[in-house]
Amino acid sequence: MRLTLRTAILLVALGLIAGEQPAQAETRRELSVFGGILTDNPWEEVVFTPWNAKYQEPGLVGVAAHFRLFDPLSTRMGEFSFWLEPQVVRHFNLQSHWEFNLPVVARLETKRPFLWVIDSFAFGIGPSHASKVPAFEAQRGDGEAVQNLIYWHFELAHDLDGEADRSVFLRLHHRSDGYGLIGPGASSNGVVVGLRSAF
């Protein structure tokens, strides 16, 4: 009886230890806040020649939750993971509307910092809905714009204190018409900075 009880306790303990790590990995969550300004440039110019960016009056602030979808994959370059990132964004000045985005994000956390400061790269894409027709997009589209577009972002992040649990990021925030595939009007580009923390 004593042996059976010890065996049962040992099996339960081993089960808890074995099951603990995947559960933590699967339920990793993060929260971020960010803010930025829109530009009157195509995204290619913002990315490849940022010194030529023409920053405009509209600004934005937002909050996003990050939910890791699967356990990360180990690669030669670092850990590769996928996230679901619901966002709520508020535009102000020239524009005064809400924006809701739901991208799926692929993130690579590098084994060593790239250029000494970049600890991760990320790309996210998904649907975007504006609570009303964005005035700046209508202005860029000669009076035409639509509420529903494709949202995508490209991100560079730096871990604070060498820990991936807290990081600052620089991001291109892009609402895209898919090169004219989604209705009339124009897209918009924002340069945003933010702070992300695990919880």
Side-chain angles (χ1 to χ4, degrees):
M1 183 71 178
R2 202 176 285 173
L3 181 60
T4 305
L5 183 58
R6 285 182 185 171
T7 303
I9 292 171
L10 181 61
L11 288 173
V12 169
L14 287 173
L16 290 173
I17 292 169
E20 185 180 14
Q21 197 61 26
Q24 287 180 347
E26 288 173 5
T27 59
R28 181 177 171 87
R29 298 177 299 268
E30 299 173 342
L31 186 69
S32 65
V33 292
F34 56 87
I37 192 166
L38 297 184
T39 79
D40 197 25
N41 304 74
W43 71 264
E44 296 90 342
E45 290 182 5
V46 178
V47 172
F48 298 112
T49 57
W51 50 88
N52 292 328
K54 300 173 184 176
Y55 295 101
Q56 303 297 307
E57 182 182 335
L60 62 91
V61 292
V63 60
H66 312 256
F67 303 95
R68 188 158 63 191
L69 298 176
F70 313 105
D71 290 342
L73 304 171
S74 293
T75 70
R76 291 182 180 179
M77 295 180 290
E79 281 196 347
F80 194 67
S81 55
F82 289 92
W83 303 73
L84 184 65
E85 186 187 309
Q87 302 176 1
V88 178
V89 182
R90 178 64 180 176
H91 291 260
F92 53 90
N93 289 338
L94 177 62
Q95 304 188 120
S96 59
H97 68 275
W98 292 92
E99 177 185 327
F100 304 94
N101 305 313
L102 189 61
V104 173
V105 180
R107 186 190 303 172
L108 174 66
E109 295 181 31
T110 58
K111 288 184 177 179
R112 299 179 190 83
F114 180 72
L115 297 178
W116 301 283
V117 294
I118 301 171
D119 294 300
S120 70
F121 300 85
F123 176 80
I125 187 167
S128 177
H129 173 74
S131 61
K132 60 183 179 181
V133 173
F136 185 60
E137 291 176 10
Q139 178 181 300
R140 296 186 74 230
D142 296 325
E144 293 186 316
V146 294
Q147 290 174 262
N148 298 313
L149 291 177
I150 299 168
Y151 166 83
W152 63 258
H153 70 252
F154 177 69
E155 174 192 287
L156 306 174
H158 171 70
D159 296 339
L160 297 175
D161 303 321
E163 296 291 336
D165 285 347
R166 292 179 61 235
S167 58
V168 292
F169 59 83
L170 174 67
R171 181 180 280 190
L172 173 66
H173 180 102
H174 180 67
R175 265 176 49 95
S176 173
D177 62 356
Y179 294 101
L181 293 176
I182 304 177
S187 59
S188 61
N189 298 295
V191 176
V192 304
V193 293
L195 175 66
R196 181 168 53 234
S197 180
F199 68 93

